[in-house]
Amino acid sequence: MRTVGNRSSKTFKPKKNIPEGSHQYELLKHAEATLGSGNLRQAVMLPEGEDLNEWIAVNTVDFFNQINMLYGTITEFCTETSCSVMSAGPRYEYHWADGTNIKKPIKCSAPKYIDYLMTWVQDQLDDETLFPSKIGVPFPKNFMSVAKTILKRLFRVYAHIYHQHFDSVMQLQEEAHLNTSFKHFIFSCRSEFNLIDRRELAPLQDLIEKLGSKDR
């Protein structure tokens, strides 16, 4: 884990940067500008004339970076002892498999699972055949399927933080940051583009409904 200055700038894995000057960088700046307006529903909408795959790619990188930073703030509380299984409350437990290095799902601690997960996501984002950063290079036919798997798995980190570490988040006064990040994630992945199956969201369904009703 890298520590840069204060706690809030810790990241669990190195931040994934979108190259400056690229079209995806311009899209990221557009997203940041509309997020700054405070209207999250508007911020997640596909900008007029833009490619859906590229927009989903930019947002997937952004969510990876956000979760990376949020988890980075609480890693000292998420240990092999305190979180010996990767769970989201008593009813939901996650086992890790990536289909390549680990084909059969394995039960492991939350820090180990999240390390596997974030390393796996990083490898996908760094793969130019899956996430092309150069203008004119097409996205693969299976891009949306890959993005959906990444986002489904990133959701599990939010679920773990909310269920197992929310007290620590409140102690660190990071709850507003966590809530805004998660609301942005849900509005994009569920409300706007339907990228995550409703069943996958069950561990945080009550919170999702509360966030949605507040915004109406």
Side-chain angles (χ1 to χ4, degrees), residues 171-188:
Q171 272 177 352
L172 299 168
Q173 299 181 318
E174 289 279 348
E175 67 266 35
H177 181 193
L178 173 63
N179 288 340
T180 303
S181 173
F182 182 61
K183 193 173 181 179
H184 179 202
F185 180 86
I186 285 301
F187 281 8
S188 177

Side-chain angles (χ1 to χ4, degrees), residues 26-44:
E26 287 168 27
L27 278 178
L28 181 63
K29 291 291 148 201
H30 168 87
E32 285 171 356
T34 49
L35 274 172
S37 72
N39 187 335
L40 281 173
R41 288 204 186 277
Q42 188 185 341
V44 300

Side-chain angles (χ1 to χ4, degrees), residues 89-109:
R91 291 175 55 205
Y92 300 97
E93 189 176 300
Y94 301 111
H95 296 177
W96 178 254
D98 57 20
T100 311
N101 298 318
I102 300 172
K103 292 188 170 143
K104 192 176 174 188
I106 57 166
K107 185 172 180 172
C108 55
S109 68

Side-chain angles (χ1 to χ4, degrees), residues 9-20:
S9 59
K10 277 185 182 180
T11 58
F12 179 61
K13 296 281 178 188
K15 187 180 176 197
K16 169 70 179 169
N17 290 312
I18 291 175
E20 274 191 58

Side-chain angles (χ1 to χ4, degrees), residues 147-207:
K148 284 179 178 179
T149 303
I150 290 172
L151 295 165
K152 173 181 79 176
R153 289 176 170 177
L154 287 176
F155 167 81
R156 295 170 183 176
V157 185
Y158 281 119
H160 180 73
I161 293 172
Y162 271 111
H163 276 282
Q164 315 303 134
H165 299 294
F166 196 66
D167 286 350
S168 301
V169 170
M170 287 177 71
Q171 272 177 352
L172 299 168
Q173 299 181 318
E174 289 279 348
E175 67 266 35
H177 181 193
L178 173 63
N179 288 340
T180 303
S181 173
F182 182 61
K183 193 173 181 179
H184 179 202
F185 180 86
I186 285 301
F187 281 8
S188 177
C189 297
R190 181 68 199 167
S191 308
E192 189 66 21
F193 298 112
N194 200 19
L195 299 169
I196 303 179
D197 191 288
R198 186 183 169 84
R199 287 169 305 180
E200 288 287 337
L201 303 174
L204 294 179
Q205 195 55 51
D206 291 349
L207 175 63

Side-chain angles (χ1 to χ4, degrees), residues 16-30 50 54 57-58 61 128 131-136 139:
K16 169 70 179 169
N17 290 312
I18 291 175
E20 274 191 58
S22 67
H23 185 59
Q24 288 183 16
Y25 186 79
E26 287 168 27
L27 278 178
L28 181 63
K29 291 291 148 201
H30 168 87
E50 295 297 346
E54 197 154 36
V58 165
V61 171
E128 280 285 326
F131 281 78
S133 58
K134 296 179 179 65
I135 292 176
F139 282 84

